[in-house]
Protein backbone atom coordinates (compact mmCIF):
# COMPACT_ATOMS: atom_id res chain seq x y z
CA UNK A 1 0.00 0.00 0.00
CA UNK A 2 1.39 3.42 -0.92
CA UNK A 3 1.62 6.15 1.71
CA UNK A 4 -1.18 8.03 -0.11
CA UNK A 5 -3.40 4.94 0.08
CA UNK A 6 -2.47 4.53 3.78
CA UNK A 7 -3.56 8.10 4.50
CA UNK A 8 -6.90 7.59 2.76
CA UNK A 9 -7.37 4.22 4.48
CA UNK A 10 -6.88 5.87 7.89
CA UNK A 11 -9.30 8.66 6.97
CA UNK A 12 -11.94 6.09 6.01
CA UNK A 13 -11.24 3.97 9.14
CA UNK A 14 -11.94 7.08 11.24
CA UNK A 15 -15.19 7.79 9.40
CA UNK A 16 -13.88 10.87 7.60
CA UNK A 17 -16.45 11.07 4.83
CA UNK A 18 -15.98 14.61 3.48
CA UNK A 19 -12.66 15.96 2.24
CA UNK A 20 -11.88 19.17 0.47
CA UNK A 21 -8.57 19.69 -1.26
CA UNK A 22 -6.54 22.51 -2.73
CA UNK A 23 -4.18 21.39 -5.50
CA UNK A 24 -0.59 20.60 -4.54
CA UNK A 25 2.04 18.62 -6.41
CA UNK A 26 3.23 16.86 -3.24
CA UNK A 27 -0.30 15.88 -2.24
CA UNK A 28 -1.40 14.80 -5.73
CA UNK A 29 -1.29 11.08 -4.83
CA UNK A 30 -3.47 11.61 -1.76
CA UNK A 31 -5.91 13.73 -3.75
CA UNK A 32 -6.13 11.01 -6.45
CA UNK A 33 -6.72 8.33 -3.79
CA UNK A 34 -9.44 10.44 -2.16
CA UNK A 35 -11.10 11.00 -5.52
CA UNK A 36 -11.06 7.23 -6.14
CA UNK A 37 -12.59 6.40 -2.75
CA UNK A 38 -16.27 5.48 -2.65
CA UNK A 39 -16.32 6.25 1.08
CA UNK A 40 -15.31 9.92 0.88
CA UNK A 41 -17.21 12.78 -0.71
CA UNK A 42 -14.50 14.93 -2.30
CA UNK A 43 -14.98 18.53 -3.32
CA UNK A 44 -12.02 20.60 -4.53
CA UNK A 45 -11.64 24.14 -3.16
CA UNK A 46 -10.25 27.25 -4.80
CA UNK A 47 -8.72 28.51 -1.54
CA UNK A 48 -7.95 27.00 1.85
CA UNK A 49 -10.20 29.30 3.87
CA UNK A 50 -13.05 28.47 1.49
CA UNK A 51 -12.28 24.78 2.06
CA UNK A 52 -12.49 25.27 5.82
CA UNK A 53 -15.91 26.85 5.35
CA UNK A 54 -16.98 23.81 3.33
CA UNK A 55 -15.67 21.56 6.10
CA UNK A 56 -17.61 23.55 8.70
CA UNK A 57 -20.83 23.16 6.71
CA UNK A 58 -20.17 19.44 6.28
CA UNK A 59 -19.50 19.07 10.02
CA UNK A 60 -22.70 20.93 10.91
CA UNK A 61 -24.51 18.61 8.50
CA UNK A 62 -23.27 15.52 10.35
CA UNK A 63 -20.17 14.69 8.31
CA UNK A 64 -16.60 14.12 9.49
CA UNK A 65 -14.46 16.48 7.40
CA UNK A 66 -10.77 16.92 6.61
CA UNK A 67 -8.83 19.36 4.44
CA UNK A 68 -5.76 18.71 2.29
CA UNK A 69 -3.69 21.87 1.68
CA UNK A 70 -0.29 23.58 1.54
CA UNK A 71 1.31 25.36 4.48
CA UNK A 72 1.71 28.50 2.36
CA UNK A 73 -1.98 29.25 2.97
CA UNK A 74 -1.89 29.04 6.77
CA UNK A 75 -1.84 32.84 6.97
CA UNK A 76 -5.04 33.08 4.91
CA UNK A 77 -6.84 30.59 7.15
CA UNK A 78 -6.11 32.09 10.59
CA UNK A 79 -9.39 33.97 10.94
CA UNK A 80 -11.40 30.94 9.80
CA UNK A 81 -9.49 28.62 12.13
CA UNK A 82 -10.09 30.86 15.15
CA UNK A 83 -13.58 32.29 14.62
CA UNK A 84 -15.17 29.23 13.07
CA UNK A 85 -13.29 25.98 13.62
CA UNK A 86 -11.96 26.61 17.13
CA UNK A 87 -14.84 28.73 18.40
CA UNK A 88 -17.38 26.06 17.49
CA UNK A 89 -15.07 23.22 18.61
CA UNK A 90 -14.98 21.51 15.25
CA UNK A 91 -12.52 18.69 14.74
CA UNK A 92 -10.62 19.31 11.53
CA UNK A 93 -7.70 17.17 10.43
CA UNK A 94 -5.51 19.29 8.17
CA UNK A 95 -3.07 17.26 6.10
CA UNK A 96 -0.60 19.90 4.98
CA UNK A 97 2.29 19.78 2.55
CA UNK A 98 5.10 21.60 4.35
CA UNK A 99 6.74 23.55 1.55
CA UNK A 100 9.78 25.79 1.89
CA UNK A 101 12.36 23.64 3.61
CA UNK A 102 15.79 22.60 2.34
CA UNK A 103 15.71 21.79 -1.35
CA UNK A 104 12.61 23.88 -2.04
CA UNK A 105 12.82 25.04 -5.67
CA UNK A 106 10.30 27.90 -5.30
CA UNK A 107 11.75 30.83 -3.34
CA UNK A 108 8.43 32.34 -2.25
CA UNK A 109 7.52 29.08 -0.46
CA UNK A 110 10.42 29.54 1.98
CA UNK A 111 8.98 32.54 3.81
CA UNK A 112 5.83 30.75 4.96
CA UNK A 113 7.84 27.73 6.08
CA UNK A 114 9.64 30.03 8.51
CA UNK A 115 6.31 30.95 10.14
CA UNK A 116 4.10 27.87 9.78
CA UNK A 117 4.87 26.07 13.05
CA UNK A 118 4.93 29.30 15.07
CA UNK A 119 1.50 30.32 13.76
CA UNK A 120 0.01 26.90 14.50
CA UNK A 121 1.58 26.98 17.96
CA UNK A 122 0.19 30.48 18.61
CA UNK A 123 -3.26 29.16 17.71
CA UNK A 124 -2.77 26.17 20.07
CA UNK A 125 -3.31 23.71 17.23
CA UNK A 126 -1.59 20.38 17.86
CA UNK A 127 0.96 19.88 15.10
CA UNK A 128 2.66 16.72 13.92
CA UNK A 129 5.50 16.71 11.40
CA UNK A 130 5.90 13.69 9.14
CA UNK A 131 9.46 13.29 7.80
CA UNK A 132 9.49 9.57 6.94
CA UNK A 133 6.84 7.31 5.44
CA UNK A 134 6.64 5.33 8.66
CA UNK A 135 5.52 8.51 10.44
CA UNK A 136 2.18 7.94 8.69
CA UNK A 137 1.67 5.04 11.12
CA UNK A 138 0.73 7.74 13.68
CA UNK A 139 -2.12 9.12 11.55
CA UNK A 140 -4.79 6.78 12.92
CA UNK A 141 -4.09 7.89 16.52
CA UNK A 142 -3.92 11.55 15.48
CA UNK A 143 -7.32 11.30 13.79
CA UNK A 144 -8.86 9.56 16.80
CA UNK A 145 -7.46 12.32 19.03
CA UNK A 146 -8.80 15.22 16.97
CA UNK A 147 -12.31 13.76 16.83
CA UNK A 148 -12.26 12.87 20.52
CA UNK A 149 -11.27 16.37 21.66
CA UNK A 150 -13.09 18.36 18.92
CA UNK A 151 -10.07 20.37 17.85
CA UNK A 152 -8.30 21.03 14.59
CA UNK A 153 -4.98 19.27 14.13
CA UNK A 154 -2.19 19.92 11.64
CA UNK A 155 -0.21 17.11 10.05
CA UNK A 156 2.77 18.62 8.23
CA UNK A 157 4.19 16.40 5.49
CA UNK A 158 7.53 17.61 4.18
CA UNK A 159 9.46 16.93 0.97
CA UNK A 160 11.45 14.15 2.66
CA UNK A 161 8.17 12.40 3.50
CA UNK A 162 7.05 12.68 -0.13
CA UNK A 163 10.52 11.74 -1.41
CA UNK A 164 11.39 15.12 -2.89
CA UNK A 165 9.91 18.10 -4.66
Amino acid sequence: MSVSEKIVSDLVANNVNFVTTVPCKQLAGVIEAIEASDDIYHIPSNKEDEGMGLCAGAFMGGKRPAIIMQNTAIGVTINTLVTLTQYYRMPLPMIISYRGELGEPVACQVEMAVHTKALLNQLHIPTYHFHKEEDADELDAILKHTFMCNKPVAILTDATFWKGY
Side-chain angles (χ1 to χ4, degrees), residues 13-14 139-149:
N14 283 278
L139 183 58
D140 182 65
I142 293 167
L143 293 170
K144 284 177 175 36
H145 182 75
T146 193
F147 287 110
M148 180 272 304
C149 64

Side-chain angles (χ1 to χ4, degrees), residues 15-36:
N15 300 316
V16 173
N17 50 15
F18 179 94
V19 176
T20 186
T21 61
V22 181
C24 172
K25 180 180 175 184
Q26 285 184 349
L27 297 166
V30 175
I31 295 169
E32 289 172 14
I34 287 168
E35 186 65 33

Side-chain angles (χ1 to χ4, degrees), residues 2 4 13 15 17-18 41 59 110-111 117-118 120 143 153 161:
S2 73
S4 294
N15 300 316
N17 50 15
F18 179 94
Y41 183 76
F59 176 75
V110 174
E111 287 306 314
K117 288 182 179 179
L120 291 166
L143 293 170
V153 63
F161 179 77

Side-chain angles (χ1 to χ4, degrees), residues 4 28 37 45 47 52 55 59 80 90 93 95-96 98 113 122 127 129 134 142 145 149 159 163 165:
S4 294
S37 174
S45 295
K47 292 175 39 185
M52 289 182 182
C55 287
F59 176 75
T80 306
M90 288 189 279
I95 298 175
I96 303 170
Y98 190 42
Q122 184 66 32
T127 302
H129 192 154
E134 51 268 21
I142 293 167
H145 182 75
C149 64
K163 309 246 186 285
Y165 285 100

Side-chain angles (χ1 to χ4, degrees), residues 1-164:
M1 175 182 307
S2 73
V3 71
S4 294
E5 292 167 334
K6 162 86 169 98
I7 289 168
V8 174
S9 176
D10 283 349
L11 290 171
V12 170
N14 283 278
N15 300 316
V16 173
N17 50 15
F18 179 94
V19 176
T20 186
T21 61
V22 181
C24 172
K25 180 180 175 184
Q26 285 184 349
L27 297 166
V30 175
I31 295 169
E32 289 172 14
I34 287 168
E35 186 65 33
S37 174
D38 293 332
D39 299 309
I40 297 176
Y41 183 76
H42 173 227
I43 185 162
S45 295
N46 293 318
K47 292 175 39 185
E48 288 78 0
D49 54 338
E50 172 188 290
M52 289 182 182
L54 291 169
C55 287
F59 176 75
M60 291 176 192
K63 301 289 186 189
R64 276 190 155 190
I67 187 168
I68 311 294
M69 59 186 267
Q70 283 189 31
N71 67 311
T72 51
I74 291 292
V76 179
T77 64
I78 290 175
N79 186 55
T80 306
L81 281 167
V82 173
T83 62
L84 183 62
T85 307
Q86 288 181 318
Y87 183 78
Y88 289 101
R89 296 189 46 83
M90 288 189 279
L92 182 62
M94 298 179 287
I95 298 175
I96 303 170
S97 61
Y98 190 42
R99 300 290 307 266
E101 291 193 302
L102 295 175
E104 172 65 56
V106 182
C108 66
Q109 302 279 26
V110 174
E111 287 306 314
M112 198 61 208
V114 172
H115 302 287
T116 297
K117 288 182 179 179
L119 288 169
L120 291 166
N121 185 52
Q122 184 66 32
L123 297 174
H124 303 289
I125 294 176
T127 302
Y128 302 89
H129 192 154
F130 289 4
H131 299 283
K132 302 174 295 232
E133 276 192 21
E134 51 268 21
D135 292 341
D137 293 341
E138 297 296 321
L139 183 58
D140 182 65
I142 293 167
L143 293 170
K144 284 177 175 36
H145 182 75
T146 193
F147 287 110
M148 180 272 304
C149 64
N150 290 327
K151 291 185 173 290
V153 63
I155 300 108
L156 303 176
T157 59
D158 63 23
T160 305
F161 179 77
W162 295 114
K163 309 246 186 285

